Amino acid sequence: PRIALVQENSVNSDWVNYERDAKNCYFCFGGEVNENSSYTTYGIKSKEILDCFWVIQSELCYELINSSNCYKAFFSYWCFDCRDSWFSFYCKDCDSVFGSVVLRHKKSLLNI
């Protein structure tokens, strides 16, 4: 790998490219204000995300795509304002859901 060519105000993030204000990031591309993240593309204002694409203001997420304001979301796509969601698609404001599709303002009765 080559050292990053374009970065601004990054701390301990030598292997990022087109990143601004990254802190402790590794192999991130095209984001800004990320912290403790790896292998992301277009992560914006997120913390501790891994292998995500186009994620905004999210935290503790893995394999999240085109989503925003999520917390502990895993293997999900197009989710917004979701917490503790797994394998979900196009959900909004959901809490503790698993394998859900097109849900709005729902909360699971089961604790995952």
Side-chain angles (χ1 to χ4, degrees):
R2 295 169 50 181
I3 199 82
L5 300 175
V6 180
Q7 59 175 285
E8 183 180 330
N9 299 326
S10 296
V11 176
N12 195 24
S13 302
D14 294 331
W15 300 99
V16 299
N17 201 7
Y18 292 105
E19 284 275 333
R20 192 181 90 205
D21 299 321
K23 183 178 179 186
N24 300 323
C25 293
Y26 182 73
F27 278 179
C28 295
F29 178 82
E32 61 180 46
V33 195
N34 291 314
E35 188 174 335
N36 301 327
S37 300
S38 298
Y39 305 104
T40 63
T41 303
Y42 306 120
I44 299 171
K45 296 181 182 176
S46 298
K47 291 183 179 180
E48 299 182 12
I49 59 174
L50 179 65
D51 203 15
C52 295
F53 177 78
W54 205 261
V55 174
I56 301 170
Q57 293 181 335
S58 296
E59 189 172 348
L60 295 173
C61 298
Y62 178 72
E63 285 285 339
L64 192 62
I65 299 173
N66 292 348
S67 302
S68 66
N69 298 322
C70 293
Y71 179 76
K72 288 188 177 178
F74 306 96
F75 305 100
S76 298
Y77 182 61
W78 276 7
C79 291
F80 308 96
D81 303 313
C82 293
R83 293 154 304 283
D84 297 319
S85 62
W86 290 76
F87 305 101
S88 300
F89 174 76
Y90 200 48
C91 294
K92 184 174 183 180
D93 191 31
C94 294
D95 191 2
S96 302
V97 295
F98 183 88
S100 302
V101 178
V102 193
L103 284 182
R104 301 289 183 260
H105 316 292
K106 299 292 182 182
K107 182 175 181 178
S108 175
L109 297 176
L110 301 173
N111 289 329
I112 297 176

